[in-house]
Amino acid sequence: MIKLFVYAMREYDEKPCFDRWCRELGVELGYTTEDPTPDTLSLAQGYDAVCVLLNELDADSIRRLHQMGVKYLSTRTVGFDHIDLEAAQALHMPVVHAFYPPQGVANYTILLMLLCCRKMKLILERSLTRNFTLQGCMGSELSNLTVGILGTGQIGSTVIRHLAGFGCKILAYDPYPRDDLNELAKYVTLEELYQQADIISLHIPASKENRHIIGREALHQMREGVILVNTGRGDLIDSEALIEALDAGKVGGAGLDVLEDEAGLFFHDISAGPPLTREMALLRAHPSVIITPHTAFYTDEAVEHMVMNAVKGVVACAQGGENPFLVS
Ligand code: COI
C-alpha cells in the first residue's frame, strides 16, 4: 500500500476529504498541520510521497526527502512555483499537481473588480463607524469599463466568459491566443492592453520572466486611475512600484488576493505577530487597496478537487503509465 504524508493539513476541511480519498484509492495517510521545515521534514520518513500546499520545497528539502526514501512530490495546488522542479528532476522524483475547476477563482476575481470599482473598502469602513455619507464613495460601473485580461489560460478565459454578461469591453493578451474567445474579447498587444484598460487582471503563471511584470515601466504605460486585480501570484507585481503608483494616483485601486511576501503570513493567525512586512503594511493601510489572504481558491468544490487530485496524482505515479497530474 502506497504511503502518503501530508503537510499543512487543515483538519477542519481537508482531513475528511483525504480520509475519504485515501480509503477509496488504497493509500495510507500520515499528516501534520505543520508546514514542511527543516524540523518537520523527518516526519515524512518511511513514506512514499509527500503532499504540500503552497509550502516551499527547495533543493535542500527535496534532497533530504529523497534521502529519507520519499519518491514522489505532490502539491494540492494548480501552481507549482514553490517547488524546485530542477532539483526534483535531478533526483528522478516526479512532481504532481492538483487542478480544480477555474470558476471559483474566476468568480472571486470579478468580485475584487466590483469591490474596487465601487469603492467598497471605503463604504464598509465608514459604515462600521456609522458614517453613512456619500462624499468620496462614488464608484464607476463595470459595465462601462474596459477590462484587460492578461493571460487567457483556464482561469483568464473563464473570467472573460463570466465578464461577458456585464457588458464591459474586454481586451486580452496572451502569447497563445484562443479562437474560442474571439467573440467575447479582443486580443491586443501588451502595450495596447496597458494603454486602454480601466481594470487589469493578472492570470499568468509565476515564472522568472513574469516576475515583476507589473513594475514601474508597465505602470507608467497604464491609464490614470487604473484598477489592478491579482488573484494569480504575488510576485507578478513589484509591490514597491505599486505603492509609489498608488500614492501618485496613477493606480486608482487594487484588489490583491496574493502578495509577493505572503509566505509564512497568509493562512496563519499572526494577530500576535510576527509584524507585517513594510510593503504589506503600506498596501493594507491604503484606502483603495483591498487585500485578501489568498482565499480566491477556497470553495467546497475546489478543496474536494485539490485533495482528490493530489491523492490521484500520487497513485498514478506509483502505477506508472500515463499521468495527467504530472507537472511537465
Ligand atoms: C493554486 O492552486 O495554485 C493556488 O494558488 C491555491 C493555493 C493557495 C491553495
Side-chain angles (χ1 to χ4, degrees), residues 53-54 76-79 98 100 232-233 267 294 297 306:
L53 192 58
L54 211 49
R76 48 197 194 280
T77 55
V78 179
Y100 46 93
R233 282 291 181 269
F267 303 161
H294 210 140
F297 83 95
M306 289 161 108

Side-chain angles (χ1 to χ4, degrees), residues 198-257:
D198 302 299
I199 299 179
I200 295 178
S201 189
L202 308 178
H203 303 285
I204 48 177
S207 62
K208 269 194 207 113
E209 304 75 52
N210 289 342
R211 183 169 185 275
H212 288 185
I213 187 167
I214 307 297
R216 285 183 185 84
E217 209 185 305
L219 288 161
H220 181 71
Q221 297 176 58
M222 292 179 194
R223 299 188 76 152
E224 210 61 26
V226 65
I227 289 171
L228 293 178
V229 172
N230 191 5
T231 53
R233 282 291 181 269
D235 68 1
L236 299 175
I237 299 184
D238 176 349
S239 305
E240 199 59 55
L242 174 60
I243 292 164
E244 280 170 25
L246 281 157
D247 289 344
K250 177 77 182 182
V251 172
L256 309 174
D257 187 51

Side-chain angles (χ1 to χ4, degrees), residues 37 103 118 171 218 262 328:
T37 63
Q103 68 258 14
R118 298 306 298 265
L171 303 177
E262 69 177 58
S328 50

